[in-house]
Amino acid sequence: MTSRSVNMLKTIGTHSGTFHCDEALGCFLLGRTSQFRDAPVTRTRDEETLKKLDCVIDVGGVYDPALHRYDHHQRGFTEVFGQGGYDVVKLSSAGLVYKHFGMEVISSETGLALDHPDTHVLYLAMYKHFIQGVDAVDNGVEQFQALVSHKRKAALEEEGEGEGGGGGEGEGAAQATEEPSSSLPDISLVKVYLEETSLGHRVSALNAAWNEDASDAVQDERFAVASEMAGKEFLSKLKYLHSSWLPARSIVKSAILERFNSDESGKIITLGQYCPWKDHLFELEKELSIAGEIIYCLYQDSRSKQWRIMSVPEGDAGSFSQRKPLPAHWRGLRGAALDSITNMPGGTFVHIAGFTGGHETYEGMLALAKMAIMDTCCCCQ
């Protein structure tokens, strides 16, 4: 490396002492940008030293992207990601760096053009699946929050009205609802296990223990290891989202846009190739303003080459309730027993819970899906 190239290198600064996941990851991401590529990292809390550096993250009490200052600890800091509906969790230093440089990093690592639509799709996906968790942990956001049920909330509101809305003790409070709010169950969440294997925990574990050498030199070495580890996990997640998640999203989106080719109701989608589809379906339904319209998903099993139907879960991908389970009189039947009810030879099974079933052919599977939408079958018409 020539003296000229050394002099042209930008410099990055962060705080010394105990390090955390957010600045370790933030420094790694900065090192993947054209502006700060290979920039040395100085770890210090000395203000005069920090002033001389080109970029400072997680220290200094200033957030000013024009000056490349990315701290989040100062009073009055309220910055959120602000895109894709992610406007609740305040950003950590990693989130700040990602907000301003994430598109460039994704473009560079994937080979996608900066203005390619998929670059922005991945930008939002990486925030959802990776960065937001780092932000939340660093800012002390509880992963689980208690929700007040609609019934409970309504009872509280009615009690408030019965008390004249002033919050004082009113004679009408006890008669405000059929069931006083005090008798309604509250939702409380209790931590039943420890989870200490997250990226944040693993970065923290690289700090010197209380009875180990914690000199600046040792901590700087450990920080470099932590930054590399956090960065490798970022790149690993990006590789997955780019090479597997994004193609699956494309398959599901095509199925949604072509759903009227399967059935005029638009309630059935057929995947051109099996892929994880539920999370993509929920997100794309929102994007396309068709939330809740799709009832069944059809796809070919890659091993048996037979066809499967799955009912769309109600609420989210992990929900056990379904938007429309398969008809009750089909459930638990297989082969000839199922065919005798549907008059559609080739049926293989319908699960006892009604969330999935199978048929030997696409035509037969589609016909059963259409029957299920009407919640009837050939022999009932």
Side-chain angles (χ1 to χ4, degrees), residues 19 43 206 218-230:
F19 49 81
R43 300 182 69 246
L206 290 173
V218 169
Q219 283 292 86
D220 286 353
E221 289 180 6
R222 287 171 174 259
F223 176 80
V225 174
S227 182
E228 187 69 16
M229 181 179 73

Side-chain angles (χ1 to χ4, degrees), residues 34 118 136 165 252 273 323:
S34 58
D118 285 347
V252 177
Q273 175 185 353
R323 290 180 180 174

